[in-house]
Amino acid sequence: EVELVESGGGLVQPGGSQRLSCAASGFTFSNYWMSWVRQAPGKGPEWVANIKEDGNERYYVDSVKGRFTISRDNAKNSLFLQMNSLRAEDTAVYFCARDGLQAGWFDPWGQGTLVTVSS
Amino acid sequence: DIVMTQSPDSLAVSLGERATINCKSSQSIFSSSNNKDYLAWYQQKPGQPPKLLIYWASTRESGVPDRFSGSGSGTDFTLTISSLQAEDVAVYYCQQYYSSKTFGQGTRLEIK
């Protein structure tokens, strides 16, 4: 069974940093692009970043460029999101998601981890 | 950025009746290179992550009941639930993946 499990969320002060992790199982992790998608309370999802199978291409939504870094460790079937200079508007549930093969839908999604940016 | 706009924001339908959700993109998301529309639909129930229902605008994901169908092309798309079941109560989102990836604001579906 394909499974994605996020960890690392919590309460962080504005301007602070947080590192999210996603453990993948049940599929060949190194064969897929992977994404982080966030969802602010009561809002629709927002794609944040994705990374190519080998880690050599990374893309970000404009609002996080220069602050967030996506990475992966294929040997450990793990995906990461380093978040720096956090703002109140970054408060959301962050989901790890597998990209569709050669296409941009998301399936499946993890259960998500909540990041709250507040003083 | 391509903006996705769903209508209505909320919808109440009787059990067994048809539910129709619309999604409009701010520009065409059809590719003539492969004759495909770059659109997906998701279902999200409270406390759960979104679940993929449909991709390429009309291809049903494995395991999704056939009462769910997607249609449309270019800029206008529709998700139809042919006979609403109680378990279909959820928020539904469309998403384009033609240029980057953006979601609609969601449509809340309830039982009348």
Side-chain angles (χ1 to χ4, degrees), chain A residues 48-110:
Chain A
V48 173
N50 67 350
I51 185 168
K52 193 179 178 182
E53 298 96 326
D54 59 7
N56 286 338
E57 289 183 39
R58 311 171 195 210
Y59 299 94
Y60 300 91
V61 68
D62 284 349
S63 59
V64 308
K65 283 180 183 175
R67 300 190 299 124
F68 289 13
T69 302
I70 188 172
S71 61
R72 65 192 295 162
D73 183 340
N74 286 344
K76 295 183 178 180
N77 292 338
S78 294
L79 179 71
F80 305 101
L81 186 67
Q82 178 66 43
M83 305 185 294
N84 299 330
S85 303
L86 282 161
R87 307 166 179 166
E89 54 265 36
D90 296 318
T91 294
V93 174
Y94 284 74
F95 297 98
C96 167
R98 187 178 71 177
D99 285 26
L101 268 176
Q102 299 180 0
W105 60 79
F106 306 110
D107 178 53
W109 302 50

Side-chain angles (χ1 to χ4, degrees), chain A residues 35 37 39 43-47 50 62 95 99 102-107 109-111, chain B residues 1 40 42 44 47-52 55-56 61 93 95 97 100-101 103-105:
Chain A
S35 284
V37 182
Q39 188 170 29
K43 302 293 186 182
E46 178 186 40
W47 170 78
N50 67 350
D62 284 349
F95 297 98
D99 285 26
Q102 299 180 0
W105 60 79
F106 306 110
D107 178 53
W109 302 50
Q111 287 297 313
Chain B
D1 289 1
Y42 300 85
Q44 187 175 30
Q48 296 184 17
K51 173 190 171 185
L52 177 69
Y55 55 94
W56 296 131
E61 170 72 335
Y93 296 97
Q95 177 231 333
Y97 45 96
S100 188
K101 305 155 197 295
F103 291 83
Q105 81 279 13

Side-chain angles (χ1 to χ4, degrees), chain B:
Chain B
D1 289 1
I2 298 177
V3 177
M4 307 300 290
T5 304
Q6 293 181 227
S7 61
D9 289 334
S10 63
L11 179 63
V13 174
S14 300
L15 289 173
E17 295 300 304
R18 178 185 301 262
T20 301
I21 297 169
N22 301 301
C23 176
K24 188 175 184 68
S25 57
S26 60
Q27 65 187 73
S28 177
I29 54 174
F30 174 78
S31 173
S32 56
S33 64
N34 60 3
N35 281 329
K36 291 183 183 293
D37 288 282
Y38 284 55
L39 185 98
W41 286 98
Y42 300 85
Q43 175 193 66
Q44 187 175 30
K45 297 181 179 180
Q48 296 184 17
K51 173 190 171 185
L52 177 69
L53 296 176
I54 286 169
Y55 55 94
W56 296 131
S58 61
T59 301
R60 200 180 303 113
E61 170 72 335
S62 175
V64 173
D66 61 7
R67 63 180 180 273
F68 290 90
S69 63
S71 62
S73 184
T75 61
D76 293 281
F77 302 90
T78 300
L79 174 70
T80 301
I81 307 172
S82 60
S83 176
L84 189 70
Q85 305 300 303
E87 61 265 32
D88 300 335
V89 169
V91 179
Y92 292 84
Y93 296 97
C94 60
Q95 177 231 333
Q96 67 81 20
Y97 45 96
Y98 181 83
S99 173
S100 188
K101 305 155 197 295
T102 51
F103 291 83
Q105 81 279 13
T107 295
R108 185 174 303 276
L109 178 59
E110 300 172 334
I111 304 294
K112 185 186 291 183

